[in-house]
Amino acid sequence: MLSVLLIVLPIFALIGAGWIARRSGVLGPHATGEINRFVVWLALPALLFDIVAKARWSDIWQPGFIAVFGIGAGLSFAATLVLRRRGGRHLADATVDGLNAGYANTGFIGFPLAATILGPASLAPTLVATIITVCLLFAVALILIEIGVQSERRPGHMMAKVAWSLATNPLLVAPLVGGLFLAFAIPLPAPLDKFLSLLGGAASPCALVALGLFIAEKREGAPPPAGAVGFLVGMKLLAQPLLTGALALLFRLPPALAATAVLMAALPTGTGPFMIAEFYGREAGITARVVLVSTIASLVTITLYLSLR
């Protein structure tokens, strides 16, 4: 319990720093959007490029782990998307909800937790889980959101607009360019490597501060529905790890890889869904609450999982 708490505590500290900065007036009402734009257009693309470009095929080519974690995250995302659409949610909002249910915080919590609990051997599959989450799952969500927010009624024109939006989206372009460096084994020049490390390192902290700023805003009207938040938190912390565990048994994944897959699936919702909701002007209130509640609740669920394995 203590090891999990020590890893999660800095997350709450960064969210709290944003909350205090907004409530004290140090940062103004436009800070949330501006910091979030910095993350989406600069810091996160640098991080995605860096992760993919520095990966090694020998580390990431683990078909069993890819199938187990990828299918688990994909099914959690798809099931939530379908259920929320049936409940009358707009496609873009339902897609963000799907991310809430399937987007694990592998980057900010996964790596230190895996290293502490499972040891250095778990870091390679944790990298795979990160690529699946922040690149593949993110890419699918962006495509669906772009389709949802287009007002063009003519299918041909709509698809052209969607294609152009995706082709100019830094969150898709950056990992694709990084994939070229990986495919052709192109080493990163030292200055570029340092630049990417500095800029990419700002992505998660800034996103968490932006989350704190958003939570601190005083709003009129009812808070996000507790039922919706509870459903999404349950899908993330209970449904996804249980599904991943069942898939690990089905695919007969080795114990070490199975443990890493389930631990990654049991992580709370990362800040990616919040960044996207805020960037596209969707209902970010539910997402902010899901990130906060799932992070707090994961102290219990992750500890329970670790005590049972």
Side-chain angles (χ1 to χ4, degrees):
M1 181 72 171
L2 181 60
S3 62
V4 178
L5 178 62
L6 291 176
I7 291 170
V8 175
L9 189 60
I11 293 177
F12 293 120
L14 285 166
I15 296 173
W19 188 92
I20 292 171
R22 180 68 192 99
R23 284 299 175 92
S24 65
V26 171
L27 293 176
H30 301 296
T32 305
E34 293 306 314
I35 293 177
N36 198 63
R37 288 178 65 85
F38 162 74
V39 172
V40 171
W41 283 95
L42 292 175
L44 188 55
L47 178 62
L48 296 178
F49 177 93
D50 202 32
I51 288 174
V52 177
K54 289 181 179 177
R56 295 184 302 177
W57 286 116
S58 58
D59 290 335
I60 65 176
W61 183 241
Q62 302 186 50
F65 182 90
I66 292 171
V68 168
F69 183 82
I71 294 173
L75 287 179
S76 299
F77 169 82
T80 303
L81 170 62
V82 170
L83 290 172
R84 297 295 276 168
R85 281 288 287 161
R86 286 183 176 178
R89 295 278 279 174
H90 186 279
L91 176 59
D93 295 320
T95 300
V96 174
D97 289 342
L99 276 181
N100 285 327
Y103 191 100
N105 196 341
T106 55
F108 209 69
I109 301 179
F111 280 104
L113 190 62
T116 302
I117 303 299
L118 302 177
S122 66
L123 294 181
T126 299
L127 173 64
V128 176
T130 301
I131 293 174
I132 292 173
T133 301
V134 303
C135 294
L136 298 182
L137 191 63
F138 220 46
V140 172
L142 286 171
I143 292 170
L144 292 174
I145 291 173
E146 284 289 349
I147 292 173
V149 299
Q150 293 295 335
S151 59
E152 175 65 60
R153 293 175 181 240
R154 290 172 293 178
H157 285 207
M158 185 191 75
M159 294 310 298
K161 284 186 175 181
V162 170
W164 175 251
S165 295
L166 295 175
T168 56
N169 192 310
L171 300 179
L172 290 180
V173 174
L176 288 176
V177 176
L180 295 177
F181 279 72
L182 171 63
F184 294 101
I186 303 173
L188 293 177
L192 177 61
D193 187 17
K194 186 63 175 179
F195 168 78
L196 292 170
S197 298
L198 290 171
L199 187 57
S204 291
C206 287
L208 290 166
V209 170
L211 177 59
L213 290 167
F214 182 86
I215 294 171
E217 291 286 349
K218 296 180 180 179
R219 298 175 181 81
E220 298 180 358
V229 173
F231 167 72
L232 295 174
V233 171
M235 287 295 292
K236 182 67 205 69
L237 297 185
L238 298 177
Q240 188 180 355
L242 288 173
L243 177 59
T244 303
L247 288 168
L249 292 175
L250 180 64
F251 281 80
R252 297 182 180 179
L253 209 60
L257 287 178
T260 305
V262 176
L263 180 60
M264 293 299 105
L267 295 174
T269 303
T271 55
F274 170 75
M275 289 187 294
I276 290 300
E278 177 71 16
F279 183 73
Y280 279 96
R282 309 313 300 178
E283 299 175 16
I286 292 178
T287 301
R289 192 64 59 90
V290 169
V291 174
L292 186 62
V293 173
S294 66
T295 302
I296 296 172
S298 68
L299 289 172
V300 176
T301 56
I302 291 176
T303 302
L304 180 62
Y305 162 66
L306 293 175
S307 65
L308 293 175
R309 58 180 289 269

